[in-house]
Amino acid sequence: MVDDILSQVRRLDGLKNAIIGGVELEQAANAVTVRLVTDLAYSHEEYLAAYDSVRHYVPECFSLDLKISKLTPDCDMIKRRILALIGENFPALASVTEDGDVTVSKTDEGFSFEVATFSGSRADDVIRTLENSLKKTYCGTFCGKVVKKNIKAEDITVEEKVEEESFEAPARTFPVENFTPIESADAPTRALYISDFNFVSENAVVCGTVIDIQERSYTRSNGEEKPYFNITITDGTGNLRLTYFSRKKSVDKIREIKQGESIVCSCRSEVHGGMLRYTATMINYGSRPENFVPEKRKARPVPKAYHTIFPEKYVGYTQTDFFTDTTLPECFKGTSFVVFDLETTGLCTTPVAGEMDGIIEIGAYKVIDGEIREKFSTFVNPERAVPLEDRIVELTGITQEMVNSAPSYKDVLPDFVKFADGSVLVGHNAAGFDIKFIDFYCRELGYDVSTRVIDTLFLSQKLLRLSNNKLNTVAEHFGVTFNHHRAEDDALATAKIFIELIKLKKSFPDY
């Protein structure tokens, strides 16, 4: 039926290259939404004709909403998509394919492209996959071929593997004071920082002020009802929620514990449903030292070399193609910024609100002396399912198959830390969203990314008078075109916007 619909729609001049972007069925409302994508201008009459053609294939009991969007890709966009497709479908080829190995040119009907590689044994398979995938995403025709990449023996260099320093951050502890027994006369001498308690343990000691304590009950198999407690404590480094199954001899004393009092708990931690669950085994009174100031956690050193994701020199349109003012403020001299963006499995930025969502794509560009010089881009395996119900696939186009073959965040983030070392981080809504993911997962790996972050969302709110300050709105204001909701494209657009905002401000923000 899809081919029949397209054969009808493509009879119209403005829709002759159209593709179906999606079909949505809402049974409760008896409604069907059909999305068409075209790369040509179309008239209102052609829209009405297309509506009639599509309406013919939709049952009369359903209403029809036909949406037509215009997408005009450029050679750079197609090239980046080809490189991504090679990475998704041909890992071995991707390992020897560089940015300069793919060339794209515009034709009257679409695009032609060449992929230079050492071997052509799978050339037909590679080209067929690339052509079919591009046709599903963009309008027009695509014709590609594999060409042989020649290399001289004297040009081959063998890089020595760089061994990184072994590192293990010691768990931080503080002395327990003012011990008063409730269940045990054995006073623990030291307690673990709550922020460091992110591992499985059978017997750990934590100490903190009670934020919340609630009594619950459960029914045993013999019908007996037993009390238990949910207790949340803080030690100034983090919060911890404990479950405590009380003993008969001490339950009344546990009930006397109030918010604001300080307790010391022996507890165990175990993985349950992909998250750590904490259970107190012994509770007594005890407190942190007076005027307790947490010591800074020892951080893993910045990697000496890249191991998984290697930055590429940025080659694209010169900035004069996009902006009329080419004069850069003096403040740019001698500066380095890394403008970044993430795509994630969801919007949860803190484990307190539920399971922390995962990173599925990182895009970053390095701006040196006011010019975009390098890029860092990769899909990331979040080691969990990409939730289709949250419209992640619809928004980003990133599927489970794409991330399954991608490197883990445990391999990607060390390279990102090296890429960002010595630079100020920049992002759009980065302070409220992206940096929280970077900080959480980097801390999990032992890295400290507590660096200055410039947020172009805040900058645009101060400097521009727009109806809203969403990335696509600010980009449109500066004439920046991009493929929204993909980290690499969003990061590049943000880098260009950042440069323009600083041109207006003529100085960097002081936050």
Side-chain angles (χ1 to χ4, degrees), residues 68-141:
I68 303 178
S69 57
K70 189 171 182 292
L71 174 64
T72 306
D74 55 31
C75 292
D76 190 51
M77 185 183 296
I78 298 298
K79 178 179 180 177
R80 282 186 273 118
R81 182 59 183 151
I82 290 173
L83 288 167
L85 287 169
I86 291 173
E88 296 160 19
N89 297 280
F90 307 100
L93 177 60
S95 66
V96 294
T97 302
E98 301 175 349
D99 187 88
D101 294 330
V102 177
T103 56
V104 180
S105 58
K106 190 79 173 68
T107 66
D108 291 339
E109 300 297 327
F111 294 85
S112 64
F113 62 90
E114 293 183 354
V115 178
T117 184
F118 295 111
S119 174
S121 58
R122 297 188 63 191
D124 292 341
D125 186 27
V126 171
I127 294 302
R128 188 183 309 109
T129 299
L130 295 178
E131 289 177 345
N132 291 338
S133 298
L134 291 170
K135 288 175 184 177
K136 291 178 182 178
T137 307
Y138 305 107
C139 301
T141 61

Side-chain angles (χ1 to χ4, degrees), residues 405-416:
S405 59
S408 165
Y409 71 93
K410 298 173 185 176
D411 297 316
V412 170
L413 285 178
D415 287 336
F416 179 77

Side-chain angles (χ1 to χ4, degrees), residues 86-328:
I86 291 173
E88 296 160 19
N89 297 280
F90 307 100
L93 177 60
S95 66
V96 294
T97 302
E98 301 175 349
D99 187 88
D101 294 330
V102 177
T103 56
V104 180
S105 58
K106 190 79 173 68
T107 66
D108 291 339
E109 300 297 327
F111 294 85
S112 64
F113 62 90
E114 293 183 354
V115 178
T117 184
F118 295 111
S119 174
S121 58
R122 297 188 63 191
D124 292 341
D125 186 27
V126 171
I127 294 302
R128 188 183 309 109
T129 299
L130 295 178
E131 289 177 345
N132 291 338
S133 298
L134 291 170
K135 288 175 184 177
K136 291 178 182 178
T137 307
Y138 305 107
C139 301
T141 61
F142 294 86
C143 181
K145 65 178 180 178
V146 169
V147 296
K148 188 174 181 180
K149 179 164 63 172
N150 296 314
I151 187 169
K152 298 178 181 179
E154 57 267 25
D155 294 333
I156 300 176
T157 59
V158 179
E159 295 185 0
E160 292 185 12
K161 184 177 180 180
V162 176
E163 294 292 339
E164 300 292 347
E165 298 177 20
S166 60
F167 174 82
E168 185 174 348
R172 297 168 294 175
T173 63
F174 57 79
V176 177
E177 298 184 352
N178 305 315
F179 177 82
T180 303
I182 295 177
E183 295 188 307
S184 173
D186 297 329
T189 58
R190 301 191 70 83
L192 181 70
Y193 280 34
I194 287 177
S195 61
D196 291 359
F197 194 9
N198 56 3
F199 53 86
V200 175
S201 175
E202 284 296 321
N203 187 25
V205 176
V206 292
C207 177
T209 303
V210 176
I211 298 175
D212 183 57
I213 179 168
Q214 297 182 2
E215 182 175 347
R216 298 281 188 266
S217 64
Y218 68 99
T219 304
R220 301 179 65 177
S221 58
N222 62 3
E224 180 184 6
E225 192 168 281
K226 298 281 289 183
Y228 73 95
F229 296 83
N230 288 328
I231 306 172
T232 304
I233 64 174
T234 181
D235 66 356
T237 70
N239 299 339
L240 187 66
R241 187 174 187 271
L242 297 162
T243 300
Y244 174 69
F245 297 93
S246 59
R247 297 173 177 84
K248 188 175 182 179
K249 65 179 182 179
S250 59
V251 64
D252 290 334
K253 292 183 179 180
I254 299 299
R255 288 181 175 131
E256 293 175 0
I257 297 174
K258 298 178 178 61
Q259 291 183 16
E261 293 185 320
S262 186
I263 59 175
V264 58
C265 307
S266 298
C267 56
R268 66 175 181 268
S269 57
E270 58 187 343
V271 176
H272 179 75
M275 300 179 65
L276 282 172
R277 179 172 62 182
Y278 302 89
T279 304
T281 58
M282 195 79 68
I283 296 179
N284 297 286
Y285 288 109
S287 64
R288 295 165 291 170
E290 190 175 355
N291 301 322
F292 169 67
V293 177
E295 64 178 272
K296 187 174 181 180
R297 183 181 178 89
K298 183 181 179 182
R300 183 186 293 271
V302 175
K304 298 177 182 177
Y306 295 102
H307 295 277
T308 303
I309 307 301
F310 295 82
E312 302 175 24
K313 182 180 178 182
Y314 173 68
V315 179
Y317 298 105
T318 60
Q319 291 170 6
T320 53
D321 290 333
F322 289 93
F323 311 120
T324 54
D325 180 13
T326 60
T327 304
L328 292 173

Side-chain angles (χ1 to χ4, degrees), residues 5 10 44 58 76 92 111 152 186 229 259 267 273 279 321 332 347 365 375 388 395 450 475 498:
I5 293 175
R10 287 173 177 170
H44 180 64
V58 177
D76 190 51
F111 294 85
K152 298 178 181 179
D186 297 329
F229 296 83
Q259 291 183 16
C267 56
T279 304
D321 290 333
F332 270 123
L347 303 178
Y365 286 82
K375 73 173 181 177
L388 300 177
L395 280 173
S450 54
F498 170 64

Side-chain angles (χ1 to χ4, degrees), residues 451-490:
T451 183
R452 181 184 178 195
V453 178
I454 295 177
D455 200 320
T456 53
L457 174 63
F458 300 154
L459 266 180
S460 63
Q461 288 171 338
K462 289 183 178 181
L463 298 175
L464 306 176
R465 294 180 178 273
L466 303 175
S467 59
N468 64 70
N469 293 90
K470 296 179 180 178
L471 180 60
N472 55 334
T473 304
V474 181
E476 184 177 355
H477 173 79
F478 287 118
V480 176
T481 57
F482 69 112
N483 181 22
H484 197 17
H485 293 304
R486 285 300 302 271
E488 181 179 329
D489 298 275
D490 285 5

Side-chain angles (χ1 to χ4, degrees), residues 326-348:
T326 60
T327 304
L328 292 173
E330 287 293 315
C331 62
F332 270 123
K333 290 185 178 180
T335 62
S336 178
F337 299 89
V338 167
V339 187
F340 76 106
D341 185 81
L342 308 179
E343 299 300 338
T344 63
T345 59
L347 303 178
C348 184

